[in-house]
Amino acid sequence: AGDVVSQRFARGVIRSAERMTYTDVHKVLSGDAEARAKYARLVERFEWMEKLALILNRKRTKRGSIDFDLPEALLEFDEFGEMTGVTRSDRNIAHRLIEEFMLAANEAVASHLEALDVPTLYRIHERPDPKRVAEFEEMATHFGYSLTGGALPVKKFRTDHRQPRGSHRGQATVVALDNPKLTSKSYQKLVAQIEGKPEERILSYLMLRSLRQARYSAVNEGHFALAAASYTHFTSPIRRYPDLIVHRVLGAWLDGDVFQADMHSIAESTSTTERRAAEAERELVEWKKVKFMVDRVGDEFAAMIISTQRFGFFVELEELFIEGLVPIDTLPGDRYGYNENTRRIIGVKTRRQFSIGDKVRVRLDRADGVEKKLQFSVVVERKGRKP
């Protein structure tokens, strides 16, 4: 059933039985004959692991844990170290095995240390900021969805900021600031509704933005996204400092001692360092993307609009996991304005519209390595030319 019936904590030594990779394990579990023959003695183990991981995942889903499954950029290089492309990282069943087992281990350690009432670090995720949730609701209604009431008929709801909050006449549903009905299951249900839809990528990203950032804390406040009462980071002490601290806390308890440290100070500093590291990684990836695109100025690409602003719209290229801006003053054939309510860019004369989710063909006009930005323009379709 996926319930933890017992748990034991001990110092241990790991002896690797095989040098496995996510790719190889995925091949084994997907029925690849060559891989199953090569790792014949481990096949049954992997199949049991898969069954257990799926049971744990179903149990986690039932309690309301959110799984956005947002892709990350994967930079590809050739044997000489030259960048050859930017793709979406693959997340298969092998990744899910490890994720589910790590989540189970982290929860077990957190609940155990909390029961002992010893000072430690928790990984907490607070309830969403009501203002951000309201902003997301406003956007979701344009696609016919809501966090609070499932699918909505798009045409019946229109945002009108002149009406009082809470009014439903011609207005997008706004989540009350103290809405107790908004839980992680609200997000989970919406994630399930948009799965496989054209707007999945956009709404998942916007949903993620409506949530607060997870952080480290000396006080357990639960984990909203995982729907976990107690959670910590324990499974990666060789690369993440908070995990090392939790190992020291647990190790001291095993020795009949208490690990002495200012957990409040450690929680604050590690949370800050984590955000700084994430930002550094993001900047590096963006710089690499721009550098990769420098030689492609003038090339055309199929793209999708992922965000609209007063100054233009952002697109994501279909073949490459790369984003860039199309400035509003470069749009051809008309003068365009931005409609705040519908978040659409509309031509004054032609009434041509550009909105989130639209497919467009764009040309790369500029690659700025210093600002780490790409600028595109919409390709004008000419007679006799295939769109």
Side-chain angles (χ1 to χ4, degrees):
D3 296 322
V4 176
V5 293
S6 67
Q7 56 191 31
R8 183 168 64 92
F9 304 93
R11 298 186 184 278
V13 176
I14 296 172
R15 182 175 67 84
S16 295
E18 188 68 60
R19 186 186 180 279
M20 300 303 298
T21 65
Y22 288 108
T23 303
D24 286 341
V25 174
H26 177 57
K27 285 180 180 178
V28 169
L29 294 175
S30 60
D32 183 281
E34 186 179 343
R36 290 175 75 86
K38 182 179 179 180
Y39 303 110
R41 64 192 178 87
L42 298 173
V43 169
E44 188 179 22
R45 289 271 182 115
F46 288 135
E47 289 175 342
W48 277 108
M49 290 167 73
E50 180 182 22
K51 288 179 182 178
L52 176 56
L54 292 175
I55 290 170
L56 290 172
N57 183 261
R58 284 196 294 271
K59 182 179 176 65
R60 192 161 57 84
T61 301
K62 191 175 180 180
R63 78 186 187 195
S65 182
I66 312 167
D67 187 0
F68 286 111
D69 202 12
L70 284 172
E72 295 182 357
L74 181 66
L75 306 182
E76 297 179 336
F77 298 87
D78 62 19
E79 57 185 351
F80 304 107
E82 292 296 320
M83 193 168 161
T84 58
V86 186
T87 59
R88 292 164 178 79
S89 60
D90 185 30
R91 183 166 174 253
N92 54 48
I93 185 61
H95 294 88
R96 292 181 182 276
L97 294 186
I98 303 303
E99 286 172 10
E100 292 300 334
F101 299 161
M102 287 198 300
L103 289 171
N106 287 337
E107 285 187 53
V109 172
S111 60
H112 179 68
L113 292 177
E114 185 177 28
L116 295 174
D117 198 26
V118 298
T120 187
L121 286 182
Y122 295 94
R123 180 68 169 177
I124 68 168
H125 187 231
E126 296 148 299
R127 285 179 57 81
D129 175 48
K131 183 181 177 183
R132 288 202 169 189
V133 173
E135 289 173 354
F136 171 76
E137 279 287 277
E138 186 179 325
M139 173 61 74
T141 52
H142 295 307
F143 290 94
Y145 299 98
S146 169
L147 273 173
T148 53
L152 293 171
V154 183
K155 294 180 181 178
K156 286 187 179 180
F157 290 85
R158 179 176 58 82
T159 303
D160 186 348
H161 296 289
R162 292 171 297 178
Q163 295 190 35
R165 179 167 287 178
S167 169
H168 289 266
R169 254 177 282 172
Q171 178 192 349
T173 303
V174 177
V175 178
L177 296 183
D178 57 349
N179 189 348
K181 294 182 180 179
L182 183 68
T183 65
S184 57
K185 284 191 176 182
S186 307
Y187 282 84
Q188 186 193 70
K189 287 177 183 177
L190 187 49
V191 168
Q193 283 182 336
I194 63 177
E195 186 177 358
K197 304 283 179 63
E199 59 270 21
E200 179 184 10
R201 163 92 168 85
I202 299 149
L203 286 178
S204 293
Y205 173 70
L206 293 173
M207 260 194 285
L208 191 62
R209 285 189 60 187
S210 74
L211 295 170
R212 297 181 193 269
Q213 278 189 311
R215 62 186 177 88
Y216 297 105
S217 172
V219 180
N220 182 24
E221 297 180 36
H223 199 292
F224 179 83
L226 292 175
S230 298
Y231 193 69
T232 191
H233 274 171
F234 171 79
T235 53
S236 302
I238 62 171
R239 67 178 181 86
R240 204 164 46 194
Y241 188 61
D243 302 54
L244 183 59
I245 291 294
V246 177
H247 269 253
R248 288 171 176 170
V249 171
L250 189 59
W253 171 77
L254 288 171
D255 295 338
D257 200 359
V258 176
F259 180 69
Q260 300 292 338
D262 183 351
M263 291 299 170
H264 290 281
S265 176
I266 293 174
E268 188 175 333
S269 64
T270 51
S271 295
T272 301
T273 306
E274 178 192 29
R275 287 192 290 271
R276 191 185 305 137
E279 182 64 21
E281 181 181 2
R282 189 194 66 79
E283 284 193 18
L284 173 63
V285 171
E286 292 305 311
W287 174 70
K288 282 289 189 181
K289 286 180 180 180
V290 173
K291 188 178 178 183
F292 174 69
M293 295 296 284
V294 165
D295 295 332
R296 289 160 179 77
V297 172
D299 290 356
E300 296 181 9
F301 306 90
M304 180 176 69
I305 299 175
I306 58 172
S307 173
T308 55
Q309 307 289 338
R310 290 187 174 279
F311 49 83
F313 57 79
F314 289 92
V315 295
E316 181 183 278
L317 307 187
E318 288 186 2
E319 293 185 7
L320 297 168
F321 196 41
I322 288 175
E323 300 174 10
L325 172 68
V326 176
I328 196 169
D329 55 10
T330 67
L331 295 176
D334 202 348
R335 183 167 57 85
Y336 288 81
Y338 180 64
N339 187 305
E340 190 80 43
N341 286 341
T342 62
R343 297 183 186 248
R344 290 185 175 132
I345 292 175
I346 305 172
V348 175
K349 296 178 182 178
T350 62
R351 308 307 295 171
R352 183 183 180 185
Q353 299 183 10
F354 295 95
S355 59
I356 294 175
D358 287 352
K359 299 291 182 70
V360 291
R361 189 157 190 84
V362 296
R363 179 187 296 109
L364 179 60
D365 293 337
R366 187 164 170 257
D368 189 333
V370 176
E371 293 290 328
K372 297 182 284 294
K373 292 178 181 177
L374 298 172
Q375 183 175 308
F376 295 89
S377 60
V378 172
V379 174
V380 179
E381 297 174 8
R382 296 182 178 87
K383 277 190 175 182
R385 175 179 177 171
K386 292 183 180 180

